[in-house]
Amino acid sequence: MGLASATTISSSSSSSLLSASLCPARRGFLPPCHHHFFFLSTFSKCNLNWKRSSGKKRGERVRCSAVGVGVGVEDEACELVNGVELSIGEGDDNIQAYLFKAVKNNNGAGVLLLSDIFGFQDSATRDFAYQVACHGYNVLVPDLFRGDPWEKGRPKPMFEQWLASQDPQRVANDIATSTKWMVDEFRAAGISKKLGIIGFCFGGGRVIDVLAADQGACFSTAVSFYGTRMDLAAASKIKVPVLFISGDDDLLCPIGVLSKFEKIIGNGSRVVIFEGRGHAFAHRPGSTEEDADAEQAFTLMRNWLHDGLLVNS
């Protein structure tokens, strides 16, 4: 690819790397079927098991479907994560969010997940957040668009107009509100660990903005999946390592730009490029081949979070 610093992964290399990692099912987690979940439309009270909660909440037990899951695994998987719908912040700063909390294997680490343009209620985003929580994390997914995400049925010529209606400062303030909520909750529970942050597409670009403003105060590690509209001028302000994951067929996230971010940020940052993959392959795989690469990308992210939040915290 002409990028000495970037790791390029071809489809043929996927199986060997995956087989070298521990399968979630073997570790007592949910088997790798993160495209096969559904969410209940009814809610019941859910106990976060933290000392307090500053947000209004409605509890939701998150369940996985039996598609692709072995007999007897579904019940165990459903006990691993609790999902809670939250209303956080006050007045003009009030936003909606979902918190996915690991139950049996909670490692005490928190992750802020920033969605793509389809918003925090999109099934692909929630499925991914659920999978991260299955590995022990507490994952908060805020509504970045105040109830107005991009809808797939809208005419594409309207996209720029829609995007312009999403005030960047308002989005930044909502992310700050979400971050403060997580920090306050962890502090109240006697946990002093810093947070991790993940973002897809639009959210992947906002990861850069957040880290530049944070400068290591709240976040200790980050993963940006094929981020869009990223500000290269912000890279020099970032104080923590960032894992960039994208495909070499993604016109919205040029590989050359990612290489520049990696070089400027430093601190052990890394770029991983999947050959033949386009935009959103890691959380919206559209084929069996993409599904395999999505699993590999998830493994890379999982290991990155483990090192940044648990080993080196």
Side-chain angles (χ1 to χ4, degrees):
M1 308 307 300
L3 297 176
S5 59
T7 300
T8 302
I9 298 178
S10 63
S11 299
S12 61
S13 67
S14 297
S15 58
S16 60
L17 190 151
L18 281 176
S19 61
S21 65
L22 289 175
C23 172
R26 295 174 186 171
R27 297 184 59 185
F29 300 135
L30 190 65
C33 58
H34 61 272
H35 324 298
H36 307 306
F37 303 109
F38 64 88
F39 296 86
L40 299 180
S41 58
T42 58
F43 296 84
S44 60
K45 186 175 182 181
C46 175
N47 180 15
L48 288 178
N49 293 322
W50 284 341
K51 292 183 179 179
R52 69 176 185 86
S53 175
S54 59
K56 301 172 185 177
K57 56 182 179 293
R58 291 185 293 168
E60 174 187 17
R61 178 56 57 96
V62 184
R63 299 186 183 276
C64 59
S65 75
V67 179
V69 181
V71 176
V73 176
E74 180 179 358
D75 288 342
E76 178 183 358
C78 292
E79 294 300 319
L80 286 177
V81 173
N82 275 340
V84 180
E85 184 177 359
L86 300 169
S87 177
I88 61 180
E90 301 293 338
D92 292 340
D93 293 329
N94 178 256
I95 60 172
Q96 302 302 304
Y98 275 90
L99 175 69
F100 295 89
K101 176 182 179 291
V103 177
K104 290 185 177 179
N105 59 321
N106 198 300
N107 57 31
V111 175
L112 183 65
L113 192 155
L114 306 182
S115 72
D116 59 15
I117 59 175
F118 299 109
F120 83 126
Q121 292 183 320
D122 179 77
S123 61
T125 296
R126 291 199 197 176
D127 290 352
F128 198 97
Y130 178 96
Q131 280 285 10
V132 176
C134 271
H135 288 80
Y137 297 95
N138 305 284
V139 185
L140 185 69
V141 188
D143 177 10
L144 301 180
F145 308 111
R146 296 288 185 101
D148 181 32
W150 177 253
E151 298 176 0
K152 296 177 182 178
R154 291 184 183 181
K156 291 184 178 180
M158 292 179 60
F159 178 76
E160 291 299 330
Q161 178 182 351
W162 169 83
L163 188 62
S165 71
Q166 306 297 330
D167 178 48
Q169 188 57 55
R170 195 270 305 157
V171 172
N173 289 343
D174 288 351
I175 295 174
T177 296
S178 303
T179 302
K180 182 180 184 301
W181 184 89
M182 293 194 78
V183 170
D184 289 346
E185 287 290 312
F186 274 65
R187 184 181 295 117
I191 300 172
S192 60
K193 291 181 181 179
K194 291 185 179 180
L195 307 172
I197 184 170
I198 302 170
F200 304 113
C201 315
F202 175 87
R206 305 297 66 73
V207 164
I208 299 303
D209 301 337
V210 171
L211 295 178
D214 181 67
Q215 297 193 22
C218 297
F219 297 99
S220 63
T221 194
V223 183
S224 175
F225 287 91
Y226 25 77
T228 60
R229 302 173 189 259
M230 296 188 293
D231 182 9
L232 190 60
S236 62
K237 301 176 183 178
I238 296 175
K239 307 299 182 184
V240 302
V242 181
L243 172 63
F244 295 93
I245 296 178
S246 191
D248 65 359
D249 196 27
D250 188 342
L251 300 179
L252 298 177
C253 183
I255 298 175
V257 173
L258 296 182
S259 181
K260 292 178 181 178
F261 271 102
E262 179 190 25
K263 182 177 180 180
I264 295 173
I265 296 172
N267 296 312
S269 294
R270 182 185 177 193
V271 174
V272 178
I273 302 299
F274 284 78
E275 288 187 345
R277 296 295 166 243
H279 199 63
F281 77 92
H283 74 301
R284 298 180 185 277
S287 66
T288 302
E289 293 75 16
E290 282 197 350
D291 188 72
D293 283 347
E295 293 293 348
Q296 185 172 357
F298 186 92
T299 299
L300 290 168
M301 177 213 65
R302 183 188 68 194
N303 293 341
W304 188 270
L305 291 178
H306 179 269
D307 292 346
L309 295 177
L310 302 179
V311 176
N312 300 321
S313 61

